[in-house]
Amino acid sequence: MLYEAAFLEKTPWGVYSAYSFRQALTVPQRNLEGAYAVVCLSEHGRARTERLFKVPSERLVLAPPSVLGFGAVAPSSPLGARPYVMQVGWFHPRKDVTLGLAAWRDAVESGLDADLVLVGAEGPPDRNYGPLPRRVLDVVGHELFERVHCPGSVPRRVLGSYYAHASALLMTSLHEGFGLPAIEAASFGVPIVAVDRSSMPEVVGPIGPVVAPTPAAISAALIEVCTQAPDRDALRKYAASFSVERQTAPFLDVADAIAAGASSPAAFIGPGEDV
């Protein structure tokens, strides 16, 4: 069974009612009780699944996602000559786009010459801050509003063009099961600034700054990565380590363990070997 425990905690924006939160926990719990193995995307997700659902650690398997291709990427920037930083995803309130907006605004006011691009579907309204356009206007103000670009959901090749020409990727999520945009950006040699939450230290920490979730800390890191030449080869090498083979091998190991009649994946693979 594959399960991503991305944001199963009570949240400050009130997306979940008490009932829906209980359902979010109890429905997966019923499914997990009889699972031979649970595949998690990150060590963070594995630890959360063990803690929230009491799944024995020997049944938890780690299989981080791989970076897939983007097709033909346009040689020209989607924004023409304008430099930009970007955030990617379905802008559910858990993405904490208001924090990203505040940090970008502070960076621009401190001299950063870069627009902000929010690539992805708008998502549900934030009960505290309203729909995405309202959040943008309230946080950055009328003066900077036109410098925030929201192209919505785009084809994968267009997403690749946004990555290829970005100065940096910004990740401010409250909860991430893994954080795939980080390694997608790294595959283009684009630096990442992330906040110290959920899986971000694990995924982004080896290649970029992971800072306190405050506008000031994010702004400073954003200015730094945008004004220094990134080590693009190191970023691409890191992204390449998340291969399809690495992602699929744990599933094959679980299948072999089942075929061998092992009591758990860990019992089949043996101590000291990661599944």
Side-chain angles (χ1 to χ4, degrees):
M1 179 178 178
L2 173 64
Y3 187 75
E4 177 184 344
F7 54 104
L8 293 178
E9 286 183 354
K10 293 183 179 179
T11 50
W13 56 81
V15 168
Y16 293 130
S17 66
Y19 171 77
S20 62
F21 178 71
R22 285 195 302 273
Q23 290 297 102
L25 288 177
T26 58
V27 172
Q29 179 71 65
R30 293 170 190 151
N31 294 326
L32 292 170
E33 284 174 353
Y36 178 81
V38 180
V39 180
C40 302
L41 303 182
S42 64
E43 291 286 3
H44 168 76
R46 182 152 66 175
R48 285 170 60 80
T49 302
E50 183 177 6
R51 175 173 60 86
L52 286 172
F53 301 111
K54 313 304 180 187
V55 178
S57 59
E58 63 269 17
R59 298 187 183 278
L60 295 172
V61 178
L62 180 64
S66 57
V67 179
L68 303 178
F70 289 86
V73 174
S76 58
S77 168
L79 263 62
R82 286 296 307 157
Y84 61 90
V85 298
M86 61 188 292
Q87 288 189 268
V88 177
W90 174 51
F91 291 105
H92 186 282
R94 74 179 175 92
K95 293 291 185 179
D96 204 359
V97 71
T98 52
L99 176 59
L101 289 164
W104 171 77
R105 180 202 63 212
D106 287 3
V108 169
E109 291 174 349
S110 297
L112 178 67
D113 181 23
D115 290 3
L116 177 64
V117 178
L118 305 176
V119 184
E122 180 174 330
D126 186 309
R127 292 188 180 181
N128 290 336
Y129 302 106
L132 185 59
R134 170 54 59 185
R135 281 177 270 172
V136 174
L137 182 60
D138 286 350
V139 175
V140 307
H142 291 279
E143 298 80 4
L144 294 176
F145 183 79
E146 296 300 324
R147 294 183 60 183
V148 179
H149 310 269
C150 301
S153 297
V154 298
R156 191 155 179 82
R157 60 180 178 79
V158 177
L159 175 60
S161 294
Y162 276 108
Y163 277 131
H165 301 284
S167 299
L169 175 74
L170 183 59
M171 300 194 72
T172 58
S173 299
L174 285 158
H175 304 288
E176 287 286 352
F178 179 82
L180 186 59
I183 56 172
E184 288 183 335
S187 73
F188 287 92
V190 175
I192 303 103
V193 174
V195 296
D196 189 6
R197 291 170 170 164
S198 67
S199 61
M200 291 298 93
E202 175 188 345
V203 176
V204 179
I207 53 169
V210 177
V211 301
T214 65
I218 300 166
S219 171
L222 197 55
I223 291 171
E224 182 176 356
V225 301
C226 288
T227 53
Q228 296 182 356
D231 187 343
R232 298 191 186 279
D233 288 340
L235 288 163
R236 293 189 183 103
K237 183 178 179 180
Y238 178 73
S241 71
F242 292 91
S243 63
V244 172
E245 292 76 17
R246 179 180 175 182
Q247 181 181 17
T248 56
F251 289 90
L252 298 176
D253 288 340
V254 169
D256 288 342
I258 294 172
S263 58
S264 71
F268 172 78
I269 294 171
E273 297 181 52
D274 192 1
V275 291

